[in-house]
């Protein structure tokens, strides 16, 4: 498992993988944080394709092409805005799970995730990392199609959290 899961520190838009995951909002029409970075790097055509998708429910995922990105596809998923309720975790788990299912559908063998919901959506970072790693790990145990899963970590706090957790896998 250790050679499938990788930790990368930096900008997810630089990654040359089959699919990068976007922590989008329900409109899928762009936003701040990682969403803004992905739209800037992919170019206007990404927004044009997103306009055709009619938004996305929280916990769900939809795919577009990657346009000017090195990645072939962008999987847009909408994480929960943290509320402190129990279903926050279920929605976050669903984002990772549905993104992986979609990756298999589009034949993507390598995928990179940002730390969904841990920015302006305020999901506690340690809990979010547990959910992310556990969901990916479970998926990889049941499915051997995907050969590389990269956790693209941008901020210091998430980096420290992920380093510790990945070591223990
Ligand atoms: P959300 O609304 O889901 O919380 P944000 O984009 O605000 O989404 O934050 C999600 C995570 O993305 C944060 O941990 C933030 O540090 C990270 N992030 C911001 N820019 C980038 C980037 N260019 N590449 C990878 N991660 C990024």
């Amino acid at each position: 498992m250790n050679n499938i899961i990788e930790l990368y520190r930096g900008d997810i838009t630089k990654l040359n993988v089959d699919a990068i995951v976007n922590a989008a909002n329900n409109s899928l029409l762009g936003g701040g944080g990682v969403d803004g970075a992905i739209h800037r790097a992919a170019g206007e055509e990404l927004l044009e394709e997103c306009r055709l998708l009619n938004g996305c429910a929280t916990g769900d995922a939809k795919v577009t092409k990657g346009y000017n990105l090195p990645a072939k596809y962008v999987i847009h998923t909408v994480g929960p805005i943290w509320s402190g309720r129990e279903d926050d975790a279920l929605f976050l788990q669903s984002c990772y799970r549905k993104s992986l299912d979609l990756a298999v559908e589009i034949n993507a063998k390598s995928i990179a995730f940002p730390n969904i919901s841990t920015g302006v959506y305020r999901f506690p970072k340690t809990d979010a990392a547990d959910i992310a790693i556990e969901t990916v790990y479970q998926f990889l145990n049941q499915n051997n199609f995907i050969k590389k899963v990269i956790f693209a970590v941008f901020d210091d706090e998430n980096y420290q959290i992920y380093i510790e957790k990945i070591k223990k896998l």
Side-chain angles (χ1 to χ4, degrees), residues 18-127:
D18 293 334
I20 62 169
V21 176
N22 182 14
N25 57 45
N26 295 119
S27 77
L28 296 186
L29 299 179
V34 69
D35 195 4
I38 289 173
H39 275 271
R40 276 192 300 277
E44 270 293 307
E45 284 171 301
L46 177 61
L47 185 58
E48 280 165 33
E49 188 177 353
C50 283
R51 283 205 184 95
L52 307 173
L53 298 177
N54 285 316
C56 183
T58 304
D60 207 353
K62 292 190 176 179
V63 66
T64 65
K65 289 186 273 186
Y67 300 99
N68 297 334
L69 291 165
K72 209 162 155 193
Y73 298 104
V74 180
I75 294 173
H76 305 263
T77 190
V78 183
I81 298 174
W82 191 71
S83 67
R85 287 193 295 266
E86 253 171 55
D87 55 1
D88 292 340
L90 298 177
F91 280 119
L92 189 60
Q93 194 179 54
S94 172
C95 287
Y96 284 92
R97 176 78 213 195
K98 293 219 169 149
S99 297
L100 290 162
D101 286 339
L102 203 46
V104 173
E105 257 177 59
I106 61 175
N107 258 317
K109 289 187 181 295
S110 54
I111 180 170
F113 284 98
N115 303 137
I116 301 165
S117 283
T118 68
V120 296
Y121 283 4
R122 300 186 325 270
F123 205 112
K125 289 180 179 174
T126 306
D127 296 343

